[in-house]
Amino acid sequence: MGVNRDVRITVGELVLDGFDRVDPGRVAAAFQAELTRLVRERGVPVAADGTRRFEEMTELPELPVTSSPVRLGEALARAVHAGLAGRGRSA
């Protein structure tokens, strides 16, 4: 019988400066879908023991300059997952 490893990620707020003309609802939907996919496929190594919390993440990969809310949401999810995987700094 396998081990059930539930991962819960709560994002209180995403702040995107310089993306005024992008639909925030579509960005959020693409972000959620991509982050869910990444966590299911790759896990979250720094949260393996279930005790890690991040209040803020810095030094994440840059986001593309785009007006596509789907592309932006997916890129944002990859950046956040990189931070959760230990590539970035928690503040």
Side-chain angles (χ1 to χ4, degrees):
M1 185 179 238
V3 175
N4 183 8
R5 294 181 187 244
D6 290 332
V7 174
R8 180 175 299 260
I9 299 172
T10 302
V11 178
E13 181 178 34
L14 294 174
V15 179
L16 298 173
D17 293 326
F19 294 94
D20 298 334
R21 297 179 184 220
V22 178
D23 179 348
R26 291 183 65 201
V27 171
F31 170 79
Q32 182 176 359
E34 180 68 0
L35 187 57
T36 298
R37 182 189 71 78
L38 291 168
V39 169
R40 282 187 180 142
E41 289 180 6
R42 302 179 189 169
V44 183
V46 298
D49 65 2
T51 62
R52 187 77 185 253
R53 288 185 63 116
F54 294 92
E55 295 300 323
E56 180 179 327
M57 281 189 279
T58 61
E59 297 183 22
L60 296 177
E62 288 190 32
L63 297 176
V65 177
T66 182
S67 61
S68 167
V70 172
R71 185 166 178 237
L72 181 58
E74 290 170 348
L76 180 58
R78 287 190 292 273
V80 169
H81 187 265
L84 294 173
R87 298 182 306 273
R89 288 182 41 204
S90 61

